[in-house]
Amino acid sequence: MVSMGPQHPSTHGVFRMNVRVDGETIVGLKPVMGYLHRNHEKIGERNTFLMNMPFTDRLDYLTSMGNNFGYALAVEQLMGDEAKPPERAEYIRVIMAELTRIASHMWSIGFLLNDLGAFFTPALYAIEERELILDLFEWASGSRMMCNYFRFGGVAADLPPGWLDRCRAIVENRLDKKIDELDEYLSGNEILLDRARGVGVLSTEDAINFSTSGPVLRGSNVPYDLRRAAPYGIYDRFEFAVAVGNHGDVYDRYYVRLMEMRESVRILKQAVRGIPEGPILAGKKTYQIKVPAGEAYGRVENPKGELGYYLVSDGSAAAYRYHVRSPSFINLTALERMCLGRTIADVVGILGSLDIVLGEVDR
Amino acid sequence: MAIGSGVIRGHWITLRRFLLTFARDVRDGFALRRRGGGPQPLDFFKTPTRGEERVVVQDATIDGLFTVEYPDERLPVFERFRMLPVLIYDDEDGNVRCTSCNICAKVCPPQCIWMVQAKSPKGTVVPLPEDFFIDMDVCMNCGLCAEYCPFDAIKMDQNFELANSERHRTHIYSLQDLLVSSAYYAQTHPEAWSSPEETAERAKVAKKKGQRLQKALGAGRGVGTESAPKTSALI
């Protein structure tokens, strides 16, 4: 038995694995997660609905716009038509969510290569694009990572003057080229192929049975994407393909993310061309939000998979019950199946290919 | 495993990037000197004066890796960039805008704001803060307090250089530490300050606050917005 980790940049002390080995071969693996204990769900029941919005930023801190989106959808389900976002807000939400997907996948691919031993060059190339996207987030929302930008019935503020022009410049002229460069740089690299092909295989059946989602599920050849399967916001208006892999190995999960970034750019191009003028919030801005009694499950296709918020309201100012279905946590349950029969060295790459963030694993 | 064309292609991309960034640095005059340094080509020891550091902007057209040599260089600060809340007082009359209505404390997610409401000599409530506290280490910089303040009194500051060696006294900001002038806010947030929404809000709020002050202190004493009592912090 070997206690392994933390070794991934995002595990920093709150995740390790108890690995049973026979020589170098893995015969058993138990993820040990914890020690963050932020009580996110309990705090969500103490806070009013609005006050919980900035807390959702801190779940998967690389995808705060997406986290906001899911939570806003859950509360809007309870509030009904009164909180239906105006057109412009719907477009802004999609733009922000897709920019988040690109930023998160860039980070994920960069650090997967870091895990596979490429040290920092691919990560730095990927982070460069992410920084430009974070600039856009900071410009619009006031913060690079903890955006707190969505509100029930819209978004907190309109896009500042010049924002869309810069976003268009990045989306139309830059991201495609950079994704191509990353593809050319990494996808055919023999060292990457050797470390990733046939490693950490998760069969289609296993991927479904473990309830995995996002690139982990799609890498195992299941074309399930919430933006298609249960469209939310205005996703049904955009043309894009659902990227899938064939073998369910580390390489497929990497490549699905790369293809998803291309599809996100496709959606972004349509969204920045079609965004209308108009209001960005339904009704008047108020901190006293009346949420009727009932229950709701709001879910989004976050970069790491299905992020769901289950809410029960008793009509009071705060949620009676608040639960988060976080993709990182659920994808981790399939880790042992992927690692069995592989070596210790492969575990690092397999964990990297899951793209976890511990903020939403141990909530 | 054979090293083949994939690895060679990867190396070519790395080399191309190096050459591109090097050419850019030569073109911009940064090939032989520290970018945040002094005016001479090899001026390694000079640092720019505080407040006059070069602002580095990486826009969508710039290619290659980019290192900002903080603190000799800085990234641009976007207007909406938010750190800690501040309380605004108006330059014209020196009045604190805050009426101690407690809404900021109510919407604050980590509950890091608390205040003491001012009292008149008669002991009645006056719409001004006697004191106002924010625990900056608890603040999560979300900006909800500023967003929902009905009196336009609390705003998010952009100063992010807050390092300190002591937490329990210096990190609990009181009214004295939090007050900034409306001129300061106008300078850091020019777009918001001149926006029609904020201009209208200022006029509305000044009127509303004047009425509340008059009511609290007694109309018979002739106390209006202009002669409203100033907090000790401003005297």
Side-chain angles (χ1 to χ4, degrees):
Chain A
M1 175 81 84
V2 178
S3 182
M4 188 179 164
Q7 94 292 337
H8 186 270
S10 81
T11 54
H12 50 67
V14 285
F15 180 80
R16 66 188 167 93
M17 293 160 280
N18 279 341
V19 187
R20 273 195 297 131
V21 285
D22 178 8
E24 275 281 305
T25 311
I26 311 285
V27 292
L29 185 146
K30 186 175 155 240
V32 184
M33 50 197 102
Y35 317 113
L36 208 56
H37 301 336
R38 293 186 301 183
N39 283 312
H40 177 82
E41 289 168 356
K42 210 66 203 163
I43 290 172
E45 291 163 13
R46 179 205 72 181
N47 282 344
T48 64
F49 288 96
L50 176 71
M51 280 156 72
N52 200 40
M53 185 64 87
F55 276 95
T56 64
D57 291 333
R58 280 125 177 113
L59 279 171
D60 172 357
Y61 39 77
L62 302 178
T63 64
S64 73
M65 289 282 194
N67 303 349
N68 283 184
F69 202 167
Y71 182 63
L73 286 177
V75 176
E76 282 163 12
Q77 260 185 40
L78 287 169
M79 292 172 77
D81 284 345
E82 161 195 355
K84 188 173 170 15
E87 275 290 281
R88 186 174 171 81
E90 292 278 26
Y91 273 86
I92 294 175
R93 285 176 166 201
V94 167
I95 291 171
M96 294 302 180
E98 293 310 312
L99 285 173
T100 302
R101 193 176 319 278
I102 296 172
S104 172
H105 283 351
M106 282 284 180
W107 188 261
S108 160
I109 289 173
F111 277 96
L112 171 65
L113 268 290
N114 189 34
D115 285 337
L116 292 175
F119 199 45
F120 245 65
T121 311
L124 285 173
Y125 288 1
I127 289 168
E128 199 179 296
E129 301 315 304
R130 179 174 176 269
E131 284 295 313
L132 287 178
I133 292 170
L134 296 195
D135 279 349
L136 289 175
F137 288 167
E138 187 182 341
W139 195 1
S141 74
S143 186
R144 301 175 84 76
M145 288 174 77
M146 305 299 152
C147 296
N148 182 28
Y149 186 56
F150 286 45
R151 294 287 175 271
F152 312 126
V155 290
D158 203 354
L159 300 172
W163 192 96
L164 266 176
D165 293 334
R166 182 149 180 202
C167 181
R168 275 192 197 107
I170 291 172
V171 167
E172 305 265 0
N173 309 326
R174 187 175 169 112
L175 284 176
D176 274 332
K177 275 191 283 185
K178 293 294 171 181
I179 296 166
D180 286 346
E181 188 187 79
L182 210 58
D183 192 2
E184 198 186 342
Y185 182 48
L186 300 173
S187 302
N189 185 301
E190 286 82 1
I191 303 170
L192 173 68
L193 290 170
D194 202 50
R195 293 291 315 273
R197 278 251 167 101
V199 176
V201 175
L202 187 69
S203 68
T204 306
E205 292 74 31
D206 283 342
I208 295 168
N209 290 341
F210 278 105
S211 298
T212 59
S213 56
V216 177
L217 179 67
R218 289 191 287 275
S220 296
N221 203 7
V222 183
Y224 180 77
D225 187 316
L226 276 178
R227 294 171 297 170
R228 275 268 180 273
Y232 50 93
I234 52 165
Y235 272 108
D236 49 353
R237 297 186 200 171
F238 299 111
E239 276 180 30
F240 65 96
V242 176
V244 285
N246 292 320
H247 309 100
D249 54 14
V250 171
Y251 188 83
D252 275 2
R253 290 192 277 279
Y254 149 75
Y255 205 66
V256 160
R257 289 194 180 100
L258 200 78
M259 288 194 287
E260 270 186 28
M261 286 200 285
R262 291 189 206 283
E263 297 304 321
S264 290
V265 175
R266 239 175 106 188
I267 297 173
L268 279 167
K269 281 180 182 170
Q270 296 168 58
V272 292
R273 283 173 197 159
I275 185 169
E277 289 296 324
I280 44 101
L281 196 66
K284 207 178 154 205
K285 200 169 216 175
T286 172
Y287 73 97
Q288 287 167 317
I289 290 151
K290 289 190 177 60
V291 179
E295 59 181 318
Y297 182 65
R299 53 184 187 164
V300 286
E301 186 64 42
N302 235 27
K304 293 173 177 60
E306 176 179 335
L307 174 69
Y309 293 89
Y310 173 64
L311 277 174
V312 180
S313 165
D314 57 2
S316 64
Y320 175 77
R321 178 77 179 97
Y322 168 69
H323 173 71
V324 183
R325 186 256 186 231
S326 58
S328 294
F329 176 71
I330 288 170
N331 289 348
L332 261 181
T333 57
L335 182 64
E336 182 181 30
R337 184 60 57 94
M338 294 179 198
C339 292
L340 290 178
R342 303 301 310 183
T343 60
I344 287 268
D346 288 333
V347 173
V348 180
I350 295 169
L351 183 67
S353 77
L354 281 182
D355 185 22
I356 54 164
V357 162
L358 271 293
E360 67 174 13
V361 171
D362 183 18
R363 303 178 290 282
Chain B
M1 178 191 67
I3 302 294
S5 59
V7 170
I8 294 166
R9 197 164 55 234
H11 277 89
W12 164 241
I13 289 173
T14 314
L15 180 67
R16 194 178 65 197
R17 282 224 172 204
F18 169 72
L19 294 172
L20 263 175
T21 50
F22 192 72
R24 184 196 65 209
D25 282 353
V26 170
R27 191 186 64 227
D28 296 346
F30 294 114
L32 290 173
R33 66 183 164 104
R34 218 173 83 230
R35 288 206 316 234
Q40 301 303 313
L42 285 168
D43 200 348
F44 284 108
F45 302 103
K46 193 164 182 215
T47 52
T49 317
R50 191 75 189 267
E52 289 176 8
E53 299 90 352
R54 183 169 171 262
V55 174
V56 180
V57 184
Q58 177 155 23
D59 67 23
T61 58
I62 296 177
D63 209 0
L65 297 176
F66 216 95
T67 306
V68 178
E69 294 174 5
Y70 179 83
D72 296 343
E73 289 182 330
R74 275 152 198 273
L75 287 170
V77 175
F78 293 100
E79 180 172 325
R80 288 184 192 167
F81 171 65
R82 49 181 150 80
M83 277 307 292
L84 291 175
V86 284
L87 286 173
I88 311 268
Y89 68 87
D90 283 311
D91 281 305
E92 300 85 50
D93 51 16
N95 282 334
V96 184
R97 288 191 192 170
C98 176
T99 63
S100 193
C101 71
N102 228 30
I103 285 177
C104 53
K106 275 187 203 156
V107 297
C108 173
Q111 305 278 282
C112 70
I113 302 176
W114 68 100
M115 64 193 79
V116 181
Q117 185 145 38
K119 293 270 173 65
S120 73
K122 284 184 193 165
T124 52
V125 169
V126 176
L128 280 173
E130 179 72 37
D131 216 336
F132 196 104
F133 300 98
I134 294 179
D135 188 336
M136 68 170 261
D137 287 345
V138 176
C139 175
M140 57 203 272
N141 323 109
C142 67
L144 286 187
C145 53
E147 198 174 322
Y148 292 97
C149 172
F151 294 94
D152 230 14
I154 190 163
K155 298 283 181 189
M156 299 306 281
D157 197 12
Q158 297 166 341
N159 177 27
F160 55 87
E161 289 168 318
L162 303 160
N164 224 321
S165 56
E166 190 275 332
R167 183 251 186 274
H168 296 287
R169 281 203 323 276
T170 50
H171 286 198
I172 310 287
Y173 283 16
S174 65
L175 190 64
Q176 293 277 357
D177 309 309
L178 290 167
L179 282 171
V180 299
S181 68
S182 53
Y184 171 85
Y185 173 68
Q187 191 198 339
T188 55
H189 295 74
E191 272 175 30
W193 178 261
S194 56
S195 69
E197 296 83 32
E198 283 219 7
T199 312
E201 185 70 12
R202 275 199 299 277
K204 201 171 81 185
V205 161
K207 199 174 156 196
K208 194 160 57 174
K209 191 181 165 193
Q211 285 167 351
R212 287 187 65 179
L213 267 173
Q214 276 200 332
K215 196 176 162 194
L217 294 172
R221 289 168 58 198
V223 179
T225 316
E226 290 75 20
S227 56
K230 296 166 183 179
T231 59
S232 56
L234 296 174
I235 296 169

